Amino acid sequence: MKDKRILYVSSEVVPYLAENEVSLMSYDVPKMVNDQGGQIRIFMPRYGNINERRHQLHEVIRLSGMNLVVNDLDMPLIIKVASIPKERIQVYFIDNDEYFKRKATFADEDGVMYPDNDERAIFFAKGVVETVKKLNWVPDIIHVHGWMAAMLPIYMKHFYKNEALFSDTKIVTSVYSQSFEGTLDVEMINKIKLDGIPEEVVPYIATPDYDSIMKSTINHSDAVIIASEGLSASLTKFIESSGKPFLPFVPKDTFAEAYTVFYNEML
Protein backbone atom coordinates (compact mmCIF):
# COMPACT_ATOMS: atom_id res chain seq x y z
CA MET A 1 0.00 0.00 0.00
CA LYS A 2 3.04 2.26 -0.19
CA ASP A 3 2.12 5.84 -1.17
CA LYS A 4 -1.57 4.96 -1.64
CA ARG A 5 -3.91 7.53 -0.11
CA ILE A 6 -6.74 6.18 2.03
CA LEU A 7 -9.30 8.32 3.83
CA TYR A 8 -10.94 6.67 6.84
CA VAL A 9 -14.31 8.07 7.90
CA SER A 10 -15.66 6.56 11.10
CA SER A 11 -18.33 6.97 13.73
CA GLU A 12 -15.85 6.04 16.46
CA VAL A 13 -12.09 5.65 16.81
CA VAL A 14 -9.93 4.57 19.76
CA PRO A 15 -8.29 6.06 21.80
CA TYR A 16 -10.83 8.90 21.67
CA LEU A 17 -13.86 6.73 22.51
CA ALA A 18 -14.40 3.42 24.29
CA GLU A 19 -13.25 0.19 22.68
CA ASN A 20 -15.79 -1.66 20.55
CA GLU A 21 -15.72 -3.42 17.20
CA VAL A 22 -16.07 -0.22 15.14
CA SER A 23 -13.67 1.96 17.14
CA LEU A 24 -10.95 -0.71 17.28
CA MET A 25 -11.02 -1.51 13.56
CA SER A 26 -11.14 2.22 12.78
CA TYR A 27 -7.74 2.41 14.47
CA ASP A 28 -6.21 -0.93 13.46
CA VAL A 29 -6.88 -0.68 9.73
CA PRO A 30 -5.40 2.82 9.26
CA LYS A 31 -2.41 1.82 11.43
CA MET A 32 -1.82 -1.18 9.17
CA VAL A 33 -1.79 1.01 6.04
CA ASN A 34 0.36 3.61 7.77
CA ASP A 35 2.87 0.89 8.71
CA GLN A 36 2.95 -0.20 5.05
CA GLY A 37 3.93 3.28 3.91
CA GLY A 38 0.49 4.42 2.81
CA GLN A 39 -0.79 7.95 3.33
CA ILE A 40 -3.85 8.13 5.55
CA ARG A 41 -6.28 10.61 7.03
CA ILE A 42 -8.90 9.74 9.67
CA PHE A 43 -12.12 11.69 10.26
CA MET A 44 -14.61 11.28 13.09
CA PRO A 45 -17.20 13.48 14.87
CA ARG A 46 -15.99 15.54 17.84
CA TYR A 47 -18.51 14.26 20.39
CA GLY A 48 -18.75 16.18 23.67
CA ASN A 49 -17.51 13.19 25.68
CA ILE A 50 -14.08 13.33 24.02
CA ASN A 51 -11.63 14.91 26.43
CA GLU A 52 -10.02 17.65 24.36
CA ARG A 53 -7.33 18.49 26.91
CA ARG A 54 -6.22 14.90 27.47
CA HIS A 55 -6.07 14.15 23.74
CA GLN A 56 -4.67 17.58 22.82
CA LEU A 57 -7.29 18.54 20.27
CA HIS A 58 -6.93 21.96 18.74
CA GLU A 59 -8.96 23.89 16.21
CA VAL A 60 -7.59 24.32 12.70
CA ILE A 61 -8.64 27.89 11.91
CA ARG A 62 -7.80 27.69 8.20
CA LEU A 63 -10.17 24.72 7.77
CA SER A 64 -12.97 26.00 10.00
CA GLY A 65 -15.35 28.86 9.34
CA MET A 66 -17.65 27.69 6.58
CA ASN A 67 -21.35 26.95 7.03
CA LEU A 68 -23.00 23.73 5.90
CA VAL A 69 -26.69 23.58 5.06
CA VAL A 70 -28.62 20.77 6.79
CA ASN A 71 -32.41 20.63 6.63
CA ASP A 72 -32.36 24.11 5.08
CA LEU A 73 -30.44 25.61 8.05
CA ASP A 74 -26.91 27.02 8.05
CA MET A 75 -24.71 25.18 10.55
CA PRO A 76 -21.13 26.35 11.29
CA LEU A 77 -18.36 23.82 10.64
CA ILE A 78 -15.47 23.61 13.11
CA ILE A 79 -12.46 21.41 12.39
CA LYS A 80 -10.19 20.13 15.13
CA VAL A 81 -7.18 17.87 14.90
CA ALA A 82 -5.12 15.62 17.15
CA SER A 83 -2.39 13.02 16.77
CA ILE A 84 -2.59 9.46 18.01
CA PRO A 85 0.38 9.09 20.38
CA LYS A 86 3.39 7.15 19.06
CA GLU A 87 1.76 6.46 15.68
CA ARG A 88 2.20 9.77 13.82
CA ILE A 89 -1.41 9.46 12.71
CA GLN A 90 -3.50 12.61 12.48
CA VAL A 91 -7.20 12.51 13.25
CA TYR A 92 -9.54 15.26 12.07
CA PHE A 93 -12.67 15.98 14.10
CA ILE A 94 -15.87 17.39 12.60
CA ASP A 95 -17.46 19.68 15.17
CA ASN A 96 -20.52 21.88 15.59
CA ASP A 97 -21.91 23.14 18.90
CA GLU A 98 -25.50 22.34 17.99
CA TYR A 99 -24.83 18.74 16.95
CA PHE A 100 -21.82 17.54 18.91
CA LYS A 101 -21.41 19.49 22.15
CA ARG A 102 -23.66 17.17 24.24
CA LYS A 103 -21.74 14.83 26.53
CA ALA A 104 -22.45 11.55 24.79
CA THR A 105 -22.20 9.92 21.37
CA PHE A 106 -25.55 8.70 20.06
CA ALA A 107 -27.98 8.63 22.99
CA ASP A 108 -28.78 10.47 26.23
CA GLU A 109 -28.20 9.18 29.77
CA ASP A 110 -31.43 7.16 29.58
CA GLY A 111 -30.30 5.44 26.39
CA VAL A 112 -32.74 7.38 24.22
CA MET A 113 -31.32 8.11 20.76
CA TYR A 114 -30.86 11.80 19.99
CA PRO A 115 -33.72 12.93 17.72
CA ASP A 116 -31.34 14.76 15.37
CA ASN A 117 -28.94 11.86 14.77
CA ASP A 118 -29.98 11.89 11.11
CA GLU A 119 -28.94 15.54 10.75
CA ARG A 120 -25.70 14.85 12.62
CA ALA A 121 -24.88 12.12 10.08
CA ILE A 122 -25.63 14.43 7.15
CA PHE A 123 -23.53 17.23 8.68
CA PHE A 124 -20.67 14.81 9.32
CA ALA A 125 -20.68 13.55 5.71
CA LYS A 126 -20.68 17.05 4.26
CA GLY A 127 -18.08 18.25 6.74
CA VAL A 128 -15.66 15.48 5.79
CA VAL A 129 -15.94 16.14 2.06
CA GLU A 130 -15.65 19.93 2.39
CA THR A 131 -12.58 19.57 4.61
CA VAL A 132 -10.86 17.12 2.27
CA LYS A 133 -11.53 19.58 -0.57
CA LYS A 134 -9.85 22.34 1.44
CA LEU A 135 -6.89 20.06 2.13
CA ASN A 136 -6.73 19.37 -1.63
CA TRP A 137 -5.87 15.80 -0.74
CA VAL A 138 -7.07 13.21 -3.27
CA PRO A 139 -7.83 9.81 -1.71
CA ASP A 140 -7.50 6.64 -3.77
CA ILE A 141 -9.95 4.95 -1.41
CA ILE A 142 -12.47 6.23 1.12
CA HIS A 143 -13.18 3.56 3.75
CA VAL A 144 -16.35 4.09 5.81
CA HIS A 145 -16.91 2.59 9.28
CA GLY A 146 -20.06 2.84 11.42
CA TRP A 147 -23.58 4.11 10.80
CA MET A 148 -22.89 7.74 11.75
CA ALA A 149 -20.57 7.83 8.71
CA ALA A 150 -23.01 6.02 6.45
CA MET A 151 -24.32 9.08 4.60
CA LEU A 152 -20.93 9.76 3.05
CA PRO A 153 -21.17 7.27 0.13
CA ILE A 154 -24.66 8.55 -0.71
CA TYR A 155 -23.55 12.18 -0.74
CA MET A 156 -20.39 11.34 -2.69
CA LYS A 157 -22.40 9.66 -5.45
CA HIS A 158 -25.00 12.43 -5.76
CA PHE A 159 -24.41 15.74 -3.96
CA TYR A 160 -20.67 15.70 -4.80
CA LYS A 161 -20.81 13.68 -8.03
CA ASN A 162 -19.31 16.52 -10.11
CA GLU A 163 -16.30 17.09 -7.85
CA ALA A 164 -13.30 16.35 -10.09
CA LEU A 165 -11.13 15.81 -7.01
CA PHE A 166 -12.87 12.50 -6.33
CA SER A 167 -13.39 11.29 -9.90
CA ASP A 168 -11.16 8.23 -9.44
CA THR A 169 -11.82 7.61 -5.73
CA LYS A 170 -13.29 4.25 -4.73
CA ILE A 171 -15.59 3.91 -1.72
CA VAL A 172 -15.36 0.86 0.55
CA THR A 173 -17.86 0.39 3.39
CA SER A 174 -17.33 -1.90 6.37
CA VAL A 175 -20.67 -3.21 7.66
CA TYR A 176 -20.85 -4.08 11.36
CA SER A 177 -23.45 -5.75 13.54
CA GLN A 178 -23.18 -2.80 15.96
CA SER A 179 -26.45 -0.95 15.31
CA PHE A 180 -29.14 1.08 17.09
CA GLU A 181 -32.69 0.46 18.26
CA GLY A 182 -35.68 1.84 16.41
CA THR A 183 -35.34 4.39 13.63
CA LEU A 184 -33.83 7.78 13.03
CA ASP A 185 -36.15 10.73 12.26
CA VAL A 186 -38.70 9.58 9.66
CA GLU A 187 -38.26 12.98 7.99
CA MET A 188 -34.70 11.99 7.10
CA ILE A 189 -35.70 11.16 3.53
CA ASN A 190 -37.06 14.70 3.04
CA LYS A 191 -33.91 16.28 4.47
CA ILE A 192 -31.82 14.29 1.99
CA LYS A 193 -34.13 15.34 -0.84
CA LEU A 194 -33.42 18.99 0.02
CA ASP A 195 -29.85 18.28 -1.10
CA GLY A 196 -31.04 17.10 -4.50
CA ILE A 197 -30.74 13.39 -3.78
CA PRO A 198 -33.66 11.65 -5.52
CA GLU A 199 -35.95 9.61 -3.28
CA GLU A 200 -35.83 6.67 -5.68
CA VAL A 201 -32.08 6.14 -5.11
CA VAL A 202 -32.51 5.84 -1.33
CA PRO A 203 -35.90 4.09 -1.01
CA TYR A 204 -34.87 2.20 2.15
CA ILE A 205 -34.41 5.46 4.07
CA ALA A 206 -38.18 6.00 4.06
CA THR A 207 -37.93 3.79 7.18
CA PRO A 208 -34.51 4.79 8.53
CA ASP A 209 -33.63 1.88 10.81
CA TYR A 210 -30.12 0.46 10.93
CA ASP A 211 -30.55 -2.15 8.19
CA SER A 212 -32.25 0.34 5.86
CA ILE A 213 -29.49 2.92 6.22
CA MET A 214 -26.76 0.33 5.67
CA LYS A 215 -28.54 -1.04 2.60
CA SER A 216 -28.60 2.46 1.11
CA THR A 217 -24.90 2.87 1.93
CA ILE A 218 -24.04 -0.50 0.38
CA ASN A 219 -25.87 0.50 -2.81
CA HIS A 220 -23.71 3.63 -3.07
CA SER A 221 -20.37 1.95 -2.27
CA ASP A 222 -17.93 0.46 -4.77
CA ALA A 223 -17.06 -2.45 -2.48
CA VAL A 224 -18.12 -3.83 0.89
CA ILE A 225 -16.40 -5.55 3.82
CA ILE A 226 -18.40 -7.75 6.20
CA ALA A 227 -16.75 -6.53 9.39
CA SER A 228 -18.67 -8.54 12.02
CA GLU A 229 -18.83 -12.29 12.37
CA GLY A 230 -22.38 -11.97 13.69
CA LEU A 231 -23.78 -9.71 10.95
CA SER A 232 -27.53 -10.19 10.50
CA ALA A 233 -28.70 -12.67 7.87
CA SER A 234 -30.66 -9.85 6.22
CA LEU A 235 -27.61 -7.62 5.67
CA THR A 236 -25.34 -10.54 4.78
CA LYS A 237 -27.74 -11.70 2.09
CA PHE A 238 -28.15 -8.12 0.81
CA ILE A 239 -24.37 -7.73 0.47
CA GLU A 240 -23.94 -11.10 -1.22
CA SER A 241 -26.66 -10.31 -3.77
CA SER A 242 -25.67 -6.66 -4.33
CA GLY A 243 -23.29 -7.36 -7.19
CA LYS A 244 -20.60 -5.37 -5.35
CA PRO A 245 -17.14 -6.84 -4.72
CA PHE A 246 -17.18 -7.89 -1.07
CA LEU A 247 -14.81 -9.34 1.49
CA PRO A 248 -16.31 -11.93 3.86
CA PHE A 249 -15.60 -11.61 7.57
CA VAL A 250 -11.94 -11.99 8.48
CA PRO A 251 -10.87 -12.39 12.16
CA LYS A 252 -8.99 -9.43 13.59
CA ASP A 253 -5.73 -11.34 14.04
CA THR A 254 -5.55 -12.14 10.29
CA PHE A 255 -7.26 -9.14 8.68
CA ALA A 256 -4.12 -7.32 7.49
CA GLU A 257 -3.29 -9.49 4.50
CA ALA A 258 -6.94 -9.87 3.43
CA TYR A 259 -7.62 -6.12 3.61
CA THR A 260 -4.40 -5.31 1.72
CA VAL A 261 -5.29 -7.71 -1.09
CA PHE A 262 -8.86 -6.33 -1.19
CA TYR A 263 -7.63 -2.73 -1.39
CA ASN A 264 -5.22 -3.60 -4.20
CA GLU A 265 -8.00 -5.33 -6.13
CA MET A 266 -10.09 -2.15 -5.79
CA LEU A 267 -7.23 -0.05 -7.16
Side-chain angles (χ1 to χ4, degrees), residues 72-209:
D72 226 15
L73 295 171
D74 278 356
M75 306 301 267
L77 172 64
I78 301 166
I79 304 298
K80 294 175 180 174
V81 70
S83 293
I84 296 178
K86 302 178 183 176
E87 296 299 338
R88 298 182 182 176
I89 294 175
Q90 273 199 326
V91 179
Y92 291 84
F93 295 84
I94 299 297
D95 198 3
N96 169 271
D97 285 348
E98 181 72 23
Y99 288 138
F100 295 113
K101 195 170 186 178
R102 61 203 72 163
K103 296 293 183 182
T105 50
F106 312 126
D108 64 21
E109 61 271 17
D110 297 319
V112 177
M113 290 279 284
Y114 291 125
D116 61 352
N117 273 338
D118 60 325
E119 294 183 18
R120 299 168 89 207
I122 293 169
F123 183 88
F124 180 49
K126 286 184 169 183
V128 169
V129 179
E130 294 296 346
T131 305
V132 173
K133 283 166 58 180
K134 276 196 171 184
L135 290 169
N136 198 31
W137 188 78
V138 185
D140 297 300
I141 291 173
I142 298 175
H143 192 165
V144 175
H145 297 259
W147 65 265
M148 183 62 81
M151 288 297 101
L152 189 128
I154 296 166
Y155 273 75
M156 286 288 293
K157 298 293 187 182
H158 296 284
F159 191 75
Y160 293 105
K161 65 181 179 182
N162 295 321
E163 288 288 348
L165 192 72
F166 305 109
S167 58
D168 296 321
T169 299
K170 303 295 185 184
I171 301 174
V172 177
T173 295
S174 282
V175 183
Y176 296 85
S177 58
Q178 184 177 320
S179 62
F180 57 84
E181 295 293 325
T183 68
L184 303 185
D185 186 357
V186 294
E187 287 297 311
M188 185 177 189
I189 187 77
N190 293 320
K191 297 170 189 178
I192 292 172
K193 284 164 62 179
L194 286 173
D195 286 325
I197 298 173
E199 186 170 357
E200 59 267 22
V201 305
V202 284
Y204 301 106
I205 292 182
T207 306
D209 59 18

